Amino acid sequence: MGAIAPTSIVRAAGRLLALGLSAALGCAVAAGVEVGPAAADQVRAEQWQLSALDARDAWKVSTGKGVIVAVIDSGVDAEHPDLAGQVLPGIDLVEPGSNNGGKVDPVGHGTTVAGLIAGSNRDKSGVEGIAPGAKVLPIRVLDKANKYDDPGIVAQAVRWAVDHGAGVINLSLGGALRSEAIAESLAYAAAHDVVVVACTGNIVTDPTTSRVWYPAREPGVIAVAGLGAAGAGGTESLWSGSLTGPETVLTAPAVNLTGARPGGGYWQVQGTSFAAPLVAGAAALVRARYPRMSAANVINRLIWTAKDLGPKGRDDRFGYGEVDPVAALRSTVAEVETNPLTEAGPAEAGAGLESSAEPLAQHGGAAPLPEASEFHVERLAEEQTRTSAVTGLTAMLLISLGGAVGVLLHQRRKGSRPQP
């Protein structure tokens, strides 16, 4: 896309300001959609990812019922209509004494991720997740600034998720440096037969970073890159804002996604943080369809049934291709004994996947990871225009709200100084 017209930025800024200071200071970086039957119907119609992934055909076989997906994020608004009855009691590791069970989300990122996984509005309107029969286990690790400074908190969250029944874990966060604490927790998850999905990261969050974020780089984790909307040929292309590399495993839609927003509303988002939950949801579908199947074989099934994109076979941009829930549920796939994404797995599956040995900063092993957030104003921040749009709009909001709204436009992607 070309550069965004200044008038478009002004209109978007005006809409944001109209939402009021409470929304602005709540980091609502995407313009909200009015809640109501008509709006909710429109939201359902806008969920192009459901068609792209043939979700309704997949639901004829599995909805993810009986599977728990842990959303390690900024918390989840369990009162959103599309998540009513979908959210289990979790834990808040940011404010451990709050006793809110992880069911609060001052940022909105986790609520959006949860809706993409297991949204299930009984009125057939609003956001519907890729696995509407699954349950969400919310674990809050991101603070009100959408950051985590201690990787140990994320490691603790992974272990807590495993110990409380999660069959799939979604990590829409990350950073530049490898964390031994997180690596050990991921090994714990693998030992307890849990599928772990993480986002590869966004270029716009940190233009100086070219590597896939951690923990997506950890062997055994399904690293998910983002796809743009389908072009004239009907095939999605790699989203220009997505980080990719030899660790990339799968891809999924990542732009113009309508997501649940705390308070009952909706907004449009983009980023690999929102591609990852679509794969996590697909993993939940497979786990529900084959309840005795090991995590290693769930992962194997997802990668070998993916729609090949780009050069024939696995490549560093698309990995094995776009996740294909229907094929993963219905295809005959040979069983494996080990996770094909680990160094101990088949050579052809592990080719190019290498573990990071980057040292942590020397302060207790709790090196802060570059933070990141993927919320952007409405449809303004699209593909190559994203950086200029966010920068310009941020400046305008800072002037209008005296700096308090800076948090609105560029929350960094979630993480420890993570980068979802």
Side-chain angles (χ1 to χ4, degrees), residues 104 133 182 248:
V104 298
I182 294 178
T248 304

Side-chain angles (χ1 to χ4, degrees), residues 4 83 100-101 111 141 163 198 210 262 281 302 312 332 355 381 385-386:
I4 297 175
L83 290 169
N100 58 46
T111 299
V141 298
D163 293 342
S210 59
L302 289 173
K312 184 175 178 58
T332 299
S355 156
T385 62
R386 173 173 307 185

Side-chain angles (χ1 to χ4, degrees), residues 22-330:
S22 60
L25 297 178
C27 303
V29 204
V33 177
E34 290 186 7
V35 179
D41 289 342
Q42 179 182 355
V43 165
R44 178 58 59 86
E46 289 177 346
Q47 294 177 81
W48 70 274
Q49 75 275 12
L50 297 181
S51 296
L53 300 180
D54 296 322
R56 287 174 177 78
D57 282 342
W59 296 338
K60 296 175 183 178
V61 181
S62 172
T63 63
K65 185 177 181 180
V67 178
I68 296 174
V69 182
V71 173
I72 298 176
D73 216 286
S74 61
V76 174
D77 177 10
E79 296 184 2
H80 192 288
D82 300 346
L83 290 169
Q86 297 297 90
V87 185
L88 302 173
I91 188 171
D92 187 333
L93 297 178
V94 177
E95 301 178 54
S98 63
N99 197 32
N100 58 46
K103 295 184 178 182
V104 298
D105 184 5
V107 174
H109 195 282
T111 299
T112 300
V113 167
L116 290 170
I117 294 172
S120 182
N121 193 310
R122 277 39 174 198
D123 294 329
K124 303 301 180 185
S125 60
V127 166
E128 190 157 27
I130 198 73
K135 299 296 183 183
V136 169
L137 183 66
I139 305 176
R140 186 183 174 212
V141 298
L142 304 178
D143 61 21
K144 293 179 181 179
N146 211 32
K147 299 184 292 185
Y148 65 86
D149 293 323
D150 181 4
I153 293 179
V154 176
Q156 181 183 351
V158 170
R159 290 177 179 274
W160 196 92
V162 173
D163 293 342
H164 289 79
V168 180
I169 292 176
N170 186 84
L171 291 164
S172 287
L173 48 74
L177 300 181
R178 183 177 188 275
S179 163
E180 189 60 34
I182 294 178
E184 291 176 357
S185 71
L186 294 174
Y188 182 78
H192 287 78
D193 201 43
V194 177
V195 176
V196 180
V197 180
C199 60
T200 59
N202 307 319
I203 295 172
V204 68
T205 303
D206 184 1
T208 65
T209 298
S210 59
R211 292 196 68 184
V212 166
W213 289 342
Y214 190 85
R217 289 201 309 268
E218 184 69 23
V221 174
I222 302 178
V224 183
L227 296 174
T235 301
E236 296 94 331
S237 60
L238 187 71
W239 171 51
S240 62
S242 176
L243 282 171
T244 60
E247 301 88 356
T248 304
V249 176
L250 291 172
T251 57
V255 303
N256 295 339
L257 301 178
T258 300
R261 173 181 179 178
Y266 305 92
W267 49 15
Q268 283 207 329
V269 297
Q270 64 182 10
T272 60
S273 271
F274 308 114
L278 298 178
V279 174
L285 295 179
V286 175
R287 299 223 85 165
R289 172 69 178 84
Y290 304 102
R292 295 185 179 181
M293 182 174 288
S294 68
N297 278 287
V298 171
I299 293 170
N300 188 61
R301 180 170 283 269
L302 289 173
I303 64 177
W304 290 115
T305 59
K307 297 177 183 176
D308 191 17
L309 299 177
K312 184 175 178 58
R314 194 202 165 281
D315 63 86
D316 290 354
R317 286 164 55 78
F318 297 97
Y320 292 91
E322 182 179 16
V323 66
D324 186 341
V326 175
L329 290 169
R330 293 180 171 172

Side-chain angles (χ1 to χ4, degrees), residues 328-370:
L329 290 169
R330 293 180 171 172
S331 298
T332 299
V333 179
E335 292 192 357
V336 295
E337 294 183 359
T338 59
N339 184 337
L341 303 179
T342 62
E343 294 177 334
E348 63 272 22
L353 299 185
E354 59 183 29
S355 156
S356 166
E358 294 178 347
L360 289 173
Q362 297 179 5
H363 44 273
L369 303 181

